Amino acid sequence: MGLIVQKFGGSSVANAERLRNVARIIAETYRAGHQVVAVLSAQGDTTDDLIDKAMEINPKASKREMDMLLSTGEQISCSLCAMALEAMGLPVVSLTGWQAGVQTNSAYGSARVKKIRTERIQSELDRNHTIVIVTGFQGINKFGDITTLGRGGSDTSAVALAASLKADLCQIYTDVEGVYTADPRVVPNAKKLEEITFDEMLELASLGAQVLHNRSVEMAKKYRVNLEVLSSFANKPGTKVKEVAKNMEKTQISGVAKDKNVARLALVGVEDKPGIAYQVFSLLGKDNINVDIILQSIGRAGTKDISFTVKRDDADRAKELLETHKGNLEFDHIDVDKEVVKVSIVGAGMLDNAGIAATMFGALYDADINIQMISTSEIKVSVLLDEADTSRAVQAIHDRFFDE
């Protein structure tokens, strides 16, 4: 048959019962005649618990030592899963990221996969048709140090392995049954999609949908990995992520996403002259602060306002940095609002259908929700709203596009 890479998230391996369920899924795939490489995350809240332990000892621990610590979570879940498969009488071996040949750069805490040397995994697959369990989220750099790929990194590990091994399929098992038109925990009538394009999935992942990590989607698109998202708790077909997907019936969008990790900063009373925007955003860029939505007012009385959004965790640092350069930038003051949310619609169908943005804005108007900022691209429209309006906004937009 074929080679299948299966990834199981933290909720899928959270306890002994769920680990045995994961082992059962792997065993069924193996017994169907496939070669299987499984990639596991740490159990449940293990990573958060390890971070708490580190903070008790040293709140300013180096990123290298944090990676050394955090990598242990995946080793535990992988070895336990291997034990469960052993108990079923199946040939299995668990490997750490470095044993599996995952080579990364040296950006501790957010490393990028450079190359995977697949010899060890291939040898295990070919010898006695062994099941291979690999720790997600981690690799090794050129100095021989353990690195981690950042939150959501196990998705990236799985896709990278699938690409390197030329797997026939990469299955991402989660606690939901696939990709939905909205978060089903917020919108009860959200619909599961049979298929979605890489571009749409990448936008949804980048805009707050937590089903897949955006880096894994980028990699899957680049290397044309056959990707499927499905539930480890329900034996049902999932959502296929592919280059070209079927058109959704009666709608031009694929989903509604929300992102609460956002803050709005407003530089008020900036001198209206060339080069100010360049100075502001080059300062932020040099300090690795990513800016998303930008709105600049028309100049009046020699001044203008510049508003923009950053990740909520970066808001205080951005404000401090700009206030340090207040003399050069010549603004009056900075307003910071952390009680905002970004709500977006995504869909390749927007390209050929006029009035999509107006439909979204109409839904918000009818729900008496005010829009603070707007950002658009070929396949998305994002708006910045008060955080208190999040659930109402997502529900109103979803109803307008999917229930009419």
Side-chain angles (χ1 to χ4, degrees), residues 52-126:
D52 291 341
K53 289 181 183 296
M55 293 303 101
E56 290 177 5
I57 302 299
N58 180 6
K60 297 182 179 179
S62 67
K63 290 185 177 181
R64 181 198 180 279
E65 295 306 326
M66 288 298 297
D67 279 4
M68 184 75 169
L69 174 67
L70 298 182
S71 65
T72 62
E74 281 70 24
Q75 292 183 46
I76 293 170
S77 56
C78 284
S79 59
L80 290 174
C81 185
M83 292 174 191
L85 287 162
E86 281 181 338
M88 300 168 72
L90 297 176
V92 61
V93 63
S94 63
L95 302 175
T96 63
W98 67 267
Q99 288 174 316
V102 180
Q103 300 179 349
T104 74
N105 63 14
S106 296
Y108 298 107
S110 57
R112 296 266 175 172
V113 177
K114 296 175 64 177
K115 182 180 181 181
I116 298 181
R117 301 185 66 88
T118 60
E119 293 89 345
R120 174 70 186 276
I121 295 178
Q122 200 63 60
S123 173
E124 297 288 354
L125 289 171
D126 295 339

Side-chain angles (χ1 to χ4, degrees), residues 156-172:
T156 304
S157 297
V159 172
L161 283 165
S164 299
L165 292 164
K166 296 180 171 55
D168 297 279
L169 177 64
C170 181
Q171 296 178 315
I172 307 294

Side-chain angles (χ1 to χ4, degrees), residues 112 156 159 198-199 201-203 205-206 212-225 227 241:
R112 296 266 175 172
T156 304
V159 172
F198 284 122
D199 287 338
M201 188 66 249
L202 181 57
E203 287 286 3
S206 301
L212 281 174
H213 194 268
N214 60 328
R215 281 167 58 186
S216 70
V217 182
E218 287 176 352
M219 189 175 293
K221 180 183 178 182
K222 180 178 180 180
Y223 294 102
R224 297 185 178 182
V225 173
L227 196 61
V241 187

